[in-house]
Amino acid sequence: MSAMVFYSPTVVSGGAGSGSGVRPYRMREAFGRLGYEVIDVSGRHRERHEAMARARERVDAGGVEFVYAEMASTPVALTEPITTRVDPRADFAFLRHCRSRGVPVGAFYRDVYWRFPGYLRQAGAAYGLWARAHYAWELRRLDAAVDVLFLPTMRMGEYVPRVDPGKFRELPPGAPVGAASAGAGADLFYVGALGDYYDLSECAAAVAATPGATLTMCVPPDQWQAQRAAYEPFLGGGVSVVHGRGEDLDPHYARAGTGVLAMRPVEYRAFAAPVKLFEYIGRSLPVLASEGTYVGDFVARTGTGWTLPYDRSAIADLLARLVADPGAAARARAAVEGVRGRHTWEARARQAAQALTGA
């Protein structure tokens, strides 16, 4: 059995509700399902340091094929309360040690939200500027420690400084192949966040104006309360809001006919690859997406749904067609079923292994 090292500066568990928490667990699982012996180096800093010592011995003894790291959405130094005094130098020294022994090292770099103005507004100016210094420090260390820096999309590389662009490889999220949804095409379902970067108001307005169309939005309760005023005019009739995650979503998926990622195409959306895109595909859901976004380009390229201007009239026209012609949604669903096996977590783990080993 071939061995690989899986590194993450966080506690990796199956109960996470966000994409940033889901991905490390799913990737670690997927490497195991591909037949690798997974040498786990994850958890809080004290646990990691103990695991790194054991992993170094395995690397030095030979037989480790590669190292795959899932970086956190925050710098390593800030993954725990400041009082715990996390020293990230040991983590990067471990990755460099593996590379010095001829073991290829790859790391998935999750996001560059910290480079956008909204980050300072959300985090607070003092903390945000301090965190940005840590992000920059971390990228310099990553450049010295890895052979490959995996990104959700290659477009994101335009926003990643201090790393040799020749090291960039695309590695989007994946998803399990789940029970297929079976709703009508105009029965829309959205699960995720609401806010500046997650604006669905034009889609909600289109549904409210289209007889026979529905939209169920499953969003966190606190975000719903913060954004409620923008959506309240559309509630009732076909638009509803629910809360839940994990297995709570199954009944909503079962009733859905189309997954929604028709968001306002802000600059961030041009390279963001949401986990929900691939979860929809894993459920055989065609996707309604916006022009000018990575998701919209993906959907248009693969024929797995509809890419439209972010405009209530354009969306309402599509919904009216889906209500009148159920065959249109059936054709899009067939396209989704034709590609969903290529976007599983196992497919992503295999893609990472091939990029690192050339095999």
Side-chain angles (χ1 to χ4, degrees):
M1 176 186 290
S2 297
M4 56 82 63
V5 173
F6 178 90
Y7 165 89
S8 177
T10 61
V11 176
V12 178
S13 68
S18 66
S20 60
V22 167
R23 179 173 180 131
Y25 175 76
R26 292 295 191 184
M27 287 296 288
R28 187 177 65 182
E29 268 195 329
F31 283 118
R33 283 198 292 270
L34 291 182
Y36 287 101
E37 177 194 353
V38 178
I39 302 168
D40 186 48
V41 179
S42 66
R44 296 173 68 87
H45 78 288
R46 186 167 307 204
E47 298 165 340
R48 288 200 311 279
H49 287 202
E50 294 173 357
M52 282 190 278
R54 295 190 295 270
R56 276 177 184 257
E57 294 178 0
R58 291 291 303 275
V59 167
D60 292 345
V64 174
E65 199 167 318
F66 61 89
V67 177
Y68 175 82
E70 277 276 338
M71 306 310 294
S73 55
T74 59
V76 173
L78 306 183
T79 52
E80 298 178 40
I82 296 172
T83 53
T84 60
R85 297 184 144 186
V86 176
D87 184 354
R89 290 175 296 183
D91 294 78
F92 291 102
F94 168 71
L95 297 178
R96 290 196 305 272
H97 176 83
C98 295
R99 195 179 182 205
S100 73
R101 294 298 187 269
V103 177
V105 177
F108 176 75
Y109 193 70
R110 187 169 313 283
D111 205 350
V112 287
Y113 178 58
W114 59 276
R115 298 205 68 198
F116 285 75
Y119 177 73
L120 293 183
R121 289 197 302 270
Q122 181 177 325
Y127 176 86
L129 291 171
W130 181 55
R132 277 181 169 177
H134 279 282
Y135 279 115
W137 182 93
E138 185 159 292
L139 281 170
R140 286 194 293 270
R141 270 56 185 184
L142 276 172
D143 187 44
V146 305
D147 300 281
V148 174
L149 191 70
F150 294 108
L151 305 176
T153 67
M154 288 299 287
R155 289 183 190 174
M156 192 177 109
E158 299 172 15
Y159 299 84
V160 178
R162 298 179 176 82
V163 178
D164 176 5
K167 296 183 177 184
F168 296 160
R169 301 290 185 277
E170 186 166 289
L171 193 70
V177 172
S181 301
D187 291 328
L188 310 185
F189 180 53
Y190 172 75
V191 55
L194 282 183
D196 291 345
Y197 289 82
Y198 304 87
D199 182 351
L200 303 172
S201 55
E202 289 295 291
C203 183
V207 171
T210 306
T214 67
L215 168 62
T216 301
M217 300 191 299
C218 183
V219 298
D222 58 334
Q223 293 180 19
W224 170 242
Q225 291 306 320
Q227 300 295 321
R228 182 176 191 133
Y231 293 89
E232 207 148 32
F234 312 124
L235 293 181
V239 181
S240 60
V241 175
V242 298
H243 309 298
R245 64 181 191 178
E247 293 181 356
D248 299 337
L249 304 180
D250 288 343
H252 304 300
Y253 270 122
R255 290 191 293 269
T258 296
V260 173
L261 286 169
M263 299 176 183
R264 186 178 300 279
V266 295
E267 184 180 6
Y268 181 82
R269 288 277 145 226
F271 61 81
V275 171
K276 296 308 173 190
L277 166 62
F278 300 98
E279 289 187 358
Y280 293 157
I281 288 172
R283 296 278 191 157
S284 294
L285 278 178
V287 179
L288 174 58
S290 297
E291 291 179 351
T293 67
Y294 166 83
V295 175
D297 290 349
F298 176 94
V299 168
R301 184 175 71 252
T302 58
T304 50
W306 305 272
T307 298
L308 301 174
Y310 183 73
D311 172 79
R312 65 185 67 187
S313 297
I315 298 171
D317 287 347
L318 171 68
L319 294 175
R321 293 200 304 273
L322 293 178
V323 170
D325 178 16
R331 290 188 292 274
R333 187 187 300 273
V336 174
E337 290 175 346
V339 305
R340 66 177 184 159
R342 301 203 296 268
H343 298 288
T344 63
W345 290 115
E346 289 88 346
R348 298 296 182 241
R350 187 177 296 110
Q351 186 179 342
Q354 289 171 343
L356 289 167
T357 66

